[in-house]
């Protein structure tokens, strides 16, 4: 969602004291429409101010997350460095509830003369911009230049005087209730949520819905159904809501069922959003930092998953085709027995055969049956027998070779299927990085060229769950985690689970020395459901899951990480859908942090 004027006012209220007399130390530009100011204040220390003009994530807020920057800074970044580094922020301003924030910065030019500059952040969706002006209000440059052929109403170009975006809305903070009631009383019948968001400054559609609900009106209430006193009451309620939100902010974010933040507000919108998906924050800046950084991380994860899945799928399809070719070759090699019997019959009866014969009858010495053996009229019987023996030898060599190749290809297909599953289930970049490293070790993905820097690999941790009886259960999320969980973390008496004969996660039930027979059935089923949910059969309904004590699980020699064999196991059929519900909310910290 776009940062509205009401929430932006809360941001400015927090930024003003923090940035007062703070010094600009660095200017960074992670993307072509986003700048980051590294600012130092004696009272607050080093701060990172993000200003974004990106249409989807426009905003201004203090962030605790460092962002990767391009090796060559953009031209606008170099321009800001020249003009802003060393400058001191003297004020942070917002006009009413307008979505324009101005940073007043006092700096010095090459001759050490004082210069007063203004860095203007226009937070207006696709029309967002970041503009630097001088003391006379003339534009020095902007992150987005707007020439005449793009907009006839308002051009943003170096040298032109800066003009604020045209504003035709009423300010709820300074307008009287009577004026507001007239402003929200349209001449024609229309929905009141649209009237409020289009007529009043700083009011988003979501805020309009909350105010309407507090006033006892529906989101789709039509203006024609309201009387004059209803507009007066609505205007009074709206003004009271805005004043209370600014006086006592309680920043909150709403997340959906997948944990993705979808909406933020200066105060909880309790009338229109459920409390279950709400998360509150101590400050507006922390709320926005979490919202934008979390959505950015999810976007990067989604992009990385798509790219990695594409590479794995390509190798998987190639491996499947290779398996099919090997199986076809082995099917042809199944003719060896018939060819051998035909060649032996010809060899045994050479004394009575001659060139030109189409076939002859003979007795099968194994069964005693009479056989009709075909011959090739274009060659002698001896030549036919020699050709058949050469063909038999070729098939035998192909059978030996393709049997080994088929076994290797099936192992590769199982490995790639597991990688696809782990990639689909991955929730962080660290998990995807581990999967990519496994693929590099297997030769599926090429290793990046060395750039002189030692890459740091962030390690993710297995998921941790608690059974209804309070027992700890760990779930690996990729091959490396499976390897660590099963062969390094697990104790001999711990119980190991895995979906039967399909790629999936290793699941470990920590028993703390308790015997398998002493574990209640509910806990066994709980762990088995998690194993089914973290496998390729997670959408297949009833799924067989094998479980055994860790002592019965072994790794084959020279096998890939996560590859095991096991015996003395039991099998339980569970509903994978039930495990899907359980896996949505792991309980407790991940392994390694407890």
């Amino acid at each position: 969602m776009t940062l509205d004027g009401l929430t932006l006012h809360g941001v400015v209220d927090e930024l003003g004291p923090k940035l007062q007399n703070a010094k600009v130390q660095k200017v960074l530009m992670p993307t072509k429409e986003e700048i980051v100011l590294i600012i130092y204040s004696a009272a607050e220390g080093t701060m990172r101010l993000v200003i974004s003009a990106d249409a989807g994530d426009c905003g201004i807020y203090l962030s605790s997350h460092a962002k990767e920057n391009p090796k060559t800074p953009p031209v606008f970044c170099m321009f800001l460095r020249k003009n802003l580094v060393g400058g001191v922020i003297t004020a942070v301003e917002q006009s009413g509830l307008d979505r324009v924030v101005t940073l007043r910065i006092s700096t010095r030019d090459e001759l050490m003369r004082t210069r007063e500059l203004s860095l203007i952040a226009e937070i207006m969706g696709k029309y967002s911009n970041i503009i630097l002006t001088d003391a006379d209000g003339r534009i020095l440059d902007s992150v987005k230049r707007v020439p005449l052929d793009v907009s006839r109403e308002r051009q943003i170009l170096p040298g032109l005087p800066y003009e604020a975006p045209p504003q035709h809305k009423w300010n709820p903070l300074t307008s009287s209730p009577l004026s507001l009631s007239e402003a929200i009383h349209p001449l024609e019948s229309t929905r009141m949520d649209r009237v409020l968001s289009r007529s009043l400054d700083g009011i988003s559609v979501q805020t309009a819905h909350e105010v309407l609900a507090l006033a006892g009106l529906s989101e789709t209430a039509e203006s024609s159904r309201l009387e004059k006193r209803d507009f007066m009451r609505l205007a009074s309620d709206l003004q009271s809501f805005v004043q209370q939100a600014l006086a006592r902010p309680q920043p909150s974010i709403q997340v959906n069922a997948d944990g993705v933040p979808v909406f933020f507000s200066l105060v909880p919108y309790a009338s229109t959003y459920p409390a279950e998906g709400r998360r509150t924050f101590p400050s507006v800046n922390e709320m926005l930092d979490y919202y934008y950084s979390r959505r950015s991380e999810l976007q990067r994860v989604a992009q990385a998953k798509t790219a990695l899945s594409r590479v794995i799928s390509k190798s998987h399809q190639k491996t499947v085709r290779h398996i099919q070719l090997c199986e076809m070759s082995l099917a042809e090699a199944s003719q060896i027995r018939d060819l051998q019997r035909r060649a032996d019959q010809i060899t045994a009866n050479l004394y009575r055969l001659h060139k030109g014969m189409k076939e002859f009858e003979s007795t099968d010495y194994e069964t005693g049956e009479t056989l009709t053996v075909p011959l090739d009229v274009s060659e002698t019987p001896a030549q036919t027998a020699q050709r058949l023996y050469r063909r038999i030898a070729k098939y035998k060599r192909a059978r030996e070779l393709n049997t080994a190749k088929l076994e290797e290809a099936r192992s590769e297909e199982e490995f790639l299927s597991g990688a696809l599953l782990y990639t689909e289930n991955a929730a962080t970049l660290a998990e995807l990085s581990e999967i990519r490293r496994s693929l590099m070790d297997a030769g599926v993905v090429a290793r990046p060229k060395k750039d002189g820097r030692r890459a740091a690999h962030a390690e993710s941790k297995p998921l941790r769950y608690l059974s209804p009886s309070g027992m700890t259960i760990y779930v690996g999320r990729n091959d490396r985690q499976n390897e660590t969980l099963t062969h390094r973390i697990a104790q001999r008496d711990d119980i190991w689970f895995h979906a039967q004969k399909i790629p999936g996660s290793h699941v470990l039930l920590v028993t703390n020395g308790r015997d398998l027979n002493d574990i209640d059935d509910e806990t066994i089923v709980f762990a088995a459901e998690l194993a089914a949910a973290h496998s390729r059969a997670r959408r297949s309904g009833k799924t067989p899951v094998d479980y055994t004590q860790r002592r019965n699980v072994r790794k084959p020699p020279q096998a890939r990480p996560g590859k095991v064999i096991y015996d003395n196991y039991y099998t339980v059929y569970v509903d994978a859908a039930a495990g899907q519900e359980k896996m949505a909310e792991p309980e407790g910290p991940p392994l390694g942090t407890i």
Side-chain angles (χ1 to χ4, degrees), residues 208-415:
H209 290 166
E210 180 69 11
V211 171
L212 289 170
L214 291 174
L217 301 173
S218 69
E219 296 179 358
T220 58
E222 292 287 336
S223 60
S224 60
R225 296 179 178 272
L226 303 183
E227 298 181 1
K228 186 175 181 178
R229 64 174 180 272
D230 295 323
F231 287 102
M232 284 292 297
R233 188 181 74 252
L234 182 58
S236 177
D237 290 346
L238 185 143
Q239 194 168 51
S240 176
F241 174 83
V242 171
Q243 292 172 349
Q244 291 179 13
L246 293 175
R248 294 185 293 275
Q250 301 176 45
S252 63
I253 285 178
Q254 295 292 145
V255 299
N256 61 17
D258 297 325
V260 179
V262 294
F263 171 70
F264 57 81
S265 55
L266 193 59
V267 293
Y269 285 7
S271 300
T272 51
Y273 287 90
E276 291 78 11
R278 185 182 305 144
R279 178 171 178 178
T280 58
F281 294 81
S283 70
V284 184
N285 279 276
E286 290 180 63
M287 173 189 73
L288 295 180
D289 185 25
Y290 175 83
Y291 178 86
Y292 288 118
S293 61
R294 179 60 177 156
R295 287 182 66 89
S296 177
E297 179 187 12
L298 292 174
Q299 184 179 15
R300 294 197 306 272
V301 168
Q303 292 173 346
K305 286 172 69 171
T306 299
L308 190 59
S309 294
R310 188 181 298 116
V311 173
I312 300 173
S313 295
K314 185 176 180 180
S315 297
H316 183 265
Q317 292 171 3
K318 183 178 178 181
T319 303
V320 169
R321 289 195 296 269
H322 185 50
I323 290 174
Q324 293 172 346
L325 291 174
C326 289
E327 290 175 341
M328 290 173 58
S329 179
L330 289 175
E332 292 180 355
S334 63
Q335 306 175 38
I336 290 178
R337 187 172 182 279
D338 293 337
L339 293 175
Q340 185 75 45
R341 184 168 59 174
R342 179 184 172 191
D344 290 345
Q345 287 291 340
I346 294 174
T347 302
N349 292 277
L350 277 178
Y351 68 93
R352 63 188 185 90
L353 304 178
H354 58 82
K355 185 177 181 180
M357 294 179 64
K358 294 182 179 181
E359 59 185 25
F360 69 94
E361 290 186 351
S362 179
T363 301
D364 188 340
Y365 298 106
E366 294 180 1
T367 63
E369 298 178 355
T370 300
L371 301 175
T372 299
V373 182
L375 293 171
D376 191 334
V377 296
S378 63
E379 57 188 9
T380 65
Q383 290 174 332
T384 300
Q386 292 173 1
R387 177 171 56 80
L388 292 175
Y389 282 129
R390 288 195 299 270
R391 190 174 174 186
I392 292 168
K394 176 183 176 181
Y395 279 158
K396 285 183 178 180
R397 290 193 300 271
R399 182 174 62 184
E400 294 178 3
L401 183 62
N402 285 305
T403 298
K405 284 185 176 181
L406 181 60
E407 183 178 354
E408 181 180 350
R410 284 174 174 167
S411 176
E412 181 79 3
E413 191 277 334
E414 181 181 359
F415 168 72

Side-chain angles (χ1 to χ4, degrees), residues 324-586:
Q324 293 172 346
L325 291 174
C326 289
E327 290 175 341
M328 290 173 58
S329 179
L330 289 175
E332 292 180 355
S334 63
Q335 306 175 38
I336 290 178
R337 187 172 182 279
D338 293 337
L339 293 175
Q340 185 75 45
R341 184 168 59 174
R342 179 184 172 191
D344 290 345
Q345 287 291 340
I346 294 174
T347 302
N349 292 277
L350 277 178
Y351 68 93
R352 63 188 185 90
L353 304 178
H354 58 82
K355 185 177 181 180
M357 294 179 64
K358 294 182 179 181
E359 59 185 25
F360 69 94
E361 290 186 351
S362 179
T363 301
D364 188 340
Y365 298 106
E366 294 180 1
T367 63
E369 298 178 355
T370 300
L371 301 175
T372 299
V373 182
L375 293 171
D376 191 334
V377 296
S378 63
E379 57 188 9
T380 65
Q383 290 174 332
T384 300
Q386 292 173 1
R387 177 171 56 80
L388 292 175
Y389 282 129
R390 288 195 299 270
R391 190 174 174 186
I392 292 168
K394 176 183 176 181
Y395 279 158
K396 285 183 178 180
R397 290 193 300 271
R399 182 174 62 184
E400 294 178 3
L401 183 62
N402 285 305
T403 298
K405 284 185 176 181
L406 181 60
E407 183 178 354
E408 181 180 350
R410 284 174 174 167
S411 176
E412 181 79 3
E413 191 277 334
E414 181 181 359
F415 168 72
L416 293 173
S417 293
L420 276 174
L421 171 68
Y422 301 138
T423 301
E424 183 178 341
N425 290 340
T428 65
L429 293 174
E431 293 178 49
L432 292 171
S433 177
E434 289 182 345
I435 297 170
R436 182 175 288 273
R437 285 166 58 193
S438 295
L439 294 170
M440 288 178 185
D441 294 341
V444 177
V445 175
R447 295 185 182 277
K449 295 182 180 179
K450 296 182 179 179
D451 60 358
R453 295 176 295 181
R454 188 172 182 178
H457 299 292
E459 293 188 3
S460 60
K461 304 294 183 181
L463 294 173
R464 179 178 184 265
Y465 296 85
L466 291 178
S467 72
S469 60
M471 299 186 70
T472 300
I473 301 171
Y474 291 116
V475 179
R477 290 184 280 186
N478 53 57
D479 286 330
R480 290 179 178 273
Q481 287 187 13
N482 289 341
E483 180 85 4
T484 300
L485 193 61
T486 301
H487 299 292
R488 299 180 186 177
I489 305 300
Q491 301 298 314
R492 287 174 53 84
D493 293 331
D494 291 341
I495 305 175
W496 182 89
F497 295 78
H498 197 283
Q500 189 181 86
K501 298 181 180 179
I502 53 175
S505 296
H506 293 195
V507 175
L508 187 70
L509 173 62
V510 180
T511 62
N512 294 320
R514 293 173 60 182
D515 188 81
L516 175 59
N517 296 323
D518 295 335
I519 308 298
D520 61 282
D521 293 341
E522 186 179 10
T523 298
I524 295 294
V525 171
F526 186 93
E529 287 175 344
L530 288 174
H534 286 85
S535 75
R536 197 167 62 180
R538 59 192 179 281
R539 299 187 183 93
S540 302
K542 289 294 182 181
T543 303
V545 175
D546 296 336
Y547 66 97
T548 184
Q549 288 180 306
R550 162 60 186 88
R551 69 183 69 178
N552 300 319
V553 182
R554 301 178 301 282
K555 181 177 181 178
Q558 299 180 349
R560 287 194 176 104
K563 179 71 174 179
V564 297
I565 55 177
Y566 54 92
D567 53 22
N568 297 327
Y569 60 90
Y570 302 92
T571 302
V572 59
Y573 285 80
V574 295
D575 188 0
Q580 289 276 356
E581 297 176 1
K582 293 180 176 62
M583 69 180 284
E585 297 182 1

